[in-house]
């Protein structure tokens, strides 16, 4: 998705609709507050939609109105807080520099990390987290993420990146295993995949985290 400004605000207009509120990252992180910006963005989107329907205007006016509102100025002032976790002001905007998948290093540049087992107090295993997220999927629905090229994981991801989605089978042979039913919808697989080989879609119906 095309980013507009301020770290990760997406382009808020698309054919037939607009992105508003928390879905568009209109959160003032230092204040941990977003209700006011969400409501204002909804009002501006409604005004733009009214103009598009009754006056033949373009929904692009929503973005223009956002940039001319106090919402944009408030988000501009708070733009560096999340990366810095400090209240100091900065005259420039911190940038990511590259997409996340381009920042994924090959395995040979790093040593494996031996993580301790979840202690059930500060850290938890995946089944526990899955249960607490109230995630629900119909077991016979189509998988909501697919490989565009099924050969890339074996030829690239496994030998170069030590792909974590490979597990040992009964014969101690590595095999690709995707547990779509247990997905927490973090989208890390799609965002971090170095070859961008995953086609990710939302699950059908009302499935997903609750």
């Amino acid at each position: 998705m095309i980013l507009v400004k301020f770290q990760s605000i997406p382009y808020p207009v698309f054919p037939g609709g607009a992105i508003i509120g928390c879905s568009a990252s209109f959160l003032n992180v230092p204040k941990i507050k977003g209700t006011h910006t969400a409501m204002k963005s909804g009002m501006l989107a409604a005004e733009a939609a009214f103009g598009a329907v009754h006056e033949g205007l373009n929904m692009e006016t929503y973005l223009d109105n956002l940039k001319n509102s106090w919402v944009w100025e408030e988000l501009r002032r708070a733009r560096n807080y999340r990366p810095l976790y400090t209240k100091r002001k900065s005259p420039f905007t911190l940038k990511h520099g590259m997409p996340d998948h381009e920042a994924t290093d090959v395995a040979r540049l790093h040593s494996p990390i031996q993580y301790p087992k979840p202690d059930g107090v500060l850290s938890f295993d995946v089944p526990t987290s899955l249960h607490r997220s109230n995630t629900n999927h119909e077991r016979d629905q189509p998988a909501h993420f697919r490989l565009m090229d099924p050969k890339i994981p074996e030829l690239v991801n496994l030998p170069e990146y030590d792909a974590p989605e490979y597990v040992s089978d009964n014969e101690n042979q590595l095999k690709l295993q995707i547990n779509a039913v247990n997905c927490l919808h973090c989208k890390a697989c799609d965002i971090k995949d170095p070859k961008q080989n995953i086609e990710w879609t939302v699950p059908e119906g009302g499935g997903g985290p609750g």
Side-chain angles (χ1 to χ4, degrees), residues 98-110 156-157 160-164 188-196:
M98 67 179 70
D100 275 4
H101 69 273
E102 292 183 7
T104 304
D105 285 339
V106 293
R108 68 175 182 274
L109 299 179
H110 301 274
V156 179
N157 292 13
E160 294 187 19
Y161 296 92
D162 197 17
C189 61
D190 179 20
I191 295 170
K192 296 296 292 184
D193 179 30
K195 297 303 179 183
Q196 292 295 277

Side-chain angles (χ1 to χ4, degrees), residues 61-74:
T61 56
Y62 167 48
L63 177 56
D64 295 335
N65 293 341
L66 267 174
K67 290 184 175 181
N68 292 325
S69 71
W70 55 261
V71 171
W72 207 252
E73 175 58 22
E74 181 171 328

Side-chain angles (χ1 to χ4, degrees), residues 4-6 8-12 18-29 33-42 44-45 62-63 66-67 69-72 74-75:
V4 179
K5 259 187 177 183
F6 308 146
S8 58
I9 296 176
Y11 197 81
I19 307 175
I20 65 175
C22 296
S23 297
S25 299
F26 295 153
L27 171 69
N28 187 323
V29 178
K33 183 179 178 184
T35 305
H36 60 311
T37 52
M39 292 175 65
K40 182 62 176 179
S41 67
L44 295 174
Y62 167 48
L63 177 56
L66 267 174
K67 290 184 175 181
S69 71
W70 55 261
V71 171
W72 207 252
E74 181 171 328
L75 295 177

